[in-house]
Amino acid sequence: QVQLVESGGGLVQAGGSLRLSCAASRSIFNINRMAWYRQGQGHQRDLVADISSDGTTNYGDSVKGRFSISRDSAKNTVYLQMNGLKPEDTAVYYCHALLRSSAGWDNYWGQGTQVSVSS
């Protein structure tokens, strides 16, 4: 099992930057995939970015070129650097971990952190 705790959310003006952190309760070295999702009010939860255990990254079309995901195995933490923020980036951001287990694949979610971007 793994517990995930997000931090770094807040209120920022359009064009500003924030860095979200996701601290895991165990080593992330062998976690197959870690990701950030977001859910705006009245919207479904969408993938923002993910990073595999080999360092491969993937981004949602709306954040490409503005957001960057990274992982620090020494700190058991995944980061989401968000630059050029837009009002439409306003959402609750969730950290996700996908872990292989003897029973298959296990999914873990953090509690979420609010990001609000004012125009």
Side-chain angles (χ1 to χ4, degrees):
Q1 287 192 345
V2 57
Q3 284 77 48
L4 305 171
V5 179
E6 301 100 332
S7 62
L11 174 64
V12 65
Q13 288 188 332
S17 299
L18 283 174
R19 188 177 80 156
L20 305 183
S21 299
C22 172
S25 61
R26 49 150 282 177
S27 172
I28 65 172
F29 184 77
N30 290 323
I31 293 181
N32 299 83
R33 171 184 176 271
M34 295 196 70
W36 287 96
Y37 287 78
R38 68 185 182 187
Q39 187 167 17
Q41 196 165 6
H43 294 273
Q44 65 182 19
R45 190 172 295 189
D46 292 326
L47 175 70
V48 176
D50 64 36
I51 184 166
S52 299
S53 56
D54 65 0
T56 301
T57 59
N58 177 55
Y59 295 91
D61 288 340
S62 63
V63 306
K64 285 180 180 177
R66 298 188 298 125
F67 291 10
S68 177
I69 188 170
S70 61
R71 57 194 289 165
D72 186 336
S73 296
K75 296 182 178 180
N76 298 332
T77 300
V78 173
Y79 302 99
L80 183 69
Q81 178 66 43
M82 305 186 294
N83 299 325
L85 283 161
K86 304 175 181 180
E88 51 264 44
D89 294 318
T90 295
V92 178
Y93 284 69
Y94 297 91
C95 183
H96 173 265
L98 182 67
L99 189 62
R100 190 69 181 263
S101 70
S102 58
W105 294 98
D106 294 334
N107 291 275
Y108 299 92
W109 293 93
Q111 82 288 350
T113 185
Q114 177 71 46
V115 171
S116 299
V117 185
S118 63
S119 57

